Amino acid sequence: DSGVTQTPKHLITATGQRVTLRCSPRSGDLSVYWYQQSLDQGLQFLIQYYNGEERAKGNILERFSAQQFPDLHSELNLSSLELGDSALYFCASSVGGLAFNNEQFFGPGTRLTVL
Amino acid sequence: AQKVTQAQTEISVVEKEDVTLDCVYETRDTTYYLFWYKQPPSGELVFLIRRNSFDEQNEISGRYSWNFQKSTSSFNFTITASQVVDSAVYFCASTLGENFVFGPGTRLSVLP
């Protein structure tokens, strides 16, 4: 158990809908990272937040957004969903804020299925 | 283009064999970080190692070792005396510019 929690574990929705994925980092970690793993695109880094502020941005679509709240949990919002958004979404956390300059601990992932 | 290549899509070995997973990266950066992750059949991602571009010393951790060769832009991963529990998909990754890029992964099957 990495100490990172993600909810929900599974999510099934329809095209055009909007969903919110939630992540709680390990106690003491200030950074949260979001990743997408799909059959087509493989593993991709989406975005990093550190202590409430966006720190690094990867291949995140404009239809997607994220935020980190004062209690350090983070939410990833996916809107106008398309079939291709079906994927496993991982959250990770680390102590420091320099993007990727720290060991990251991963949550179990949220599997999103868009029908 | 900046990218990470793992040429081996799948590898099968018999338990106790040594196996090396290859990783080649392309970058214009002078400072970068390289990583290996393991994804077992259960699906979670497990961090294995992080190495910065200024540290070319090889690293050993138990049965795992990593060979960083800056001259050939490679960061290979060797498992010595493989075990069935090593069966997983292994991803190499690198910071490339402001992004973080994963290779396509190598599926390792260790047969009893």
Side-chain angles (χ1 to χ4, degrees):
Chain A
D1 185 351
S2 66
V4 178
T5 60
Q6 289 187 249
T7 55
K9 286 191 78 169
H10 301 277
L11 198 48
I12 301 174
T13 188
T15 54
Q17 296 297 304
R18 173 189 168 96
V19 297
T20 297
L21 312 184
R22 182 187 169 104
C23 169
S24 292
R26 290 188 324 155
S27 177
D29 285 357
L30 299 179
S31 273
V32 170
Y33 308 76
W34 286 98
Y35 298 87
Q36 179 197 59
Q37 184 175 30
S38 66
L39 287 175
D40 291 341
Q41 304 286 336
L43 257 173
Q44 292 194 99
F45 163 66
L46 297 179
I47 198 163
Q48 177 206 0
Y49 278 81
Y50 174 74
N51 206 18
E53 293 190 3
E54 183 183 305
R55 183 57 67 96
K57 208 165 186 175
N59 301 323
I60 189 166
L61 300 173
E62 284 196 16
R63 299 184 285 109
F64 296 0
S65 65
Q67 53 183 326
Q68 187 179 27
F69 295 86
D71 67 351
L72 301 177
H73 90 272
S74 177
E75 292 180 357
L76 178 67
N77 299 297
L78 315 176
S79 61
S80 302
L81 285 168
E82 302 174 0
L83 295 177
D85 297 327
S86 295
L88 189 54
Y89 291 85
F90 286 105
C91 166
S93 73
S94 69
V95 171
L98 287 179
F100 313 113
N101 194 22
N102 298 271
E103 178 175 353
Q104 295 175 48
F105 296 86
F106 285 81
T110 292
R111 183 165 294 284
L112 173 66
T113 302
V114 182
L115 301 175
Chain B
Q2 304 197 113
K3 63 180 183 180
V4 176
T5 302
Q6 295 179 255
Q8 304 144 310
T9 306
E10 292 192 39
I11 301 176
S12 284
V13 298
V14 177
E15 210 171 14
K16 296 184 184 164
E17 284 185 12
D18 299 347
V19 58
T20 295
L21 310 183
D22 297 334
C23 173
V24 173
Y25 60 93
E26 295 177 28
T27 181
R28 292 184 293 270
D29 301 338
T30 52
T31 302
Y32 50 89
Y33 294 88
L34 300 167
F35 301 77
W36 276 94
Y37 294 87
K38 174 182 179 180
Q39 188 173 37
S42 51
E44 75 273 22
L45 275 169
V46 179
F47 167 91
L48 295 178
I49 190 172
R50 176 180 62 88
R51 172 57 52 84
N52 75 55
S53 53
F54 295 109
D55 181 3
E56 289 194 67
Q57 276 195 324
N58 291 332
E59 182 152 344
I60 298 175
S61 176
R63 296 184 297 107
Y64 296 170
S65 62
W66 291 269
N67 183 353
F68 178 27
Q69 298 274 351
K70 210 167 179 178
S71 59
T72 56
S73 297
S74 65
F75 186 43
N76 297 337
F77 173 33
T78 297
I79 303 175
T80 303
S82 60
Q83 299 176 1
V84 172
V85 294
D86 296 327
S87 296
V89 180
Y90 291 86
F91 293 94
C92 178
S94 175
T95 55
L96 295 175
E98 294 184 352
N99 206 341
F100 184 61
V101 178
F102 286 88
T106 296
R107 181 177 299 277
L108 174 65
S109 298
V110 181
L111 308 173

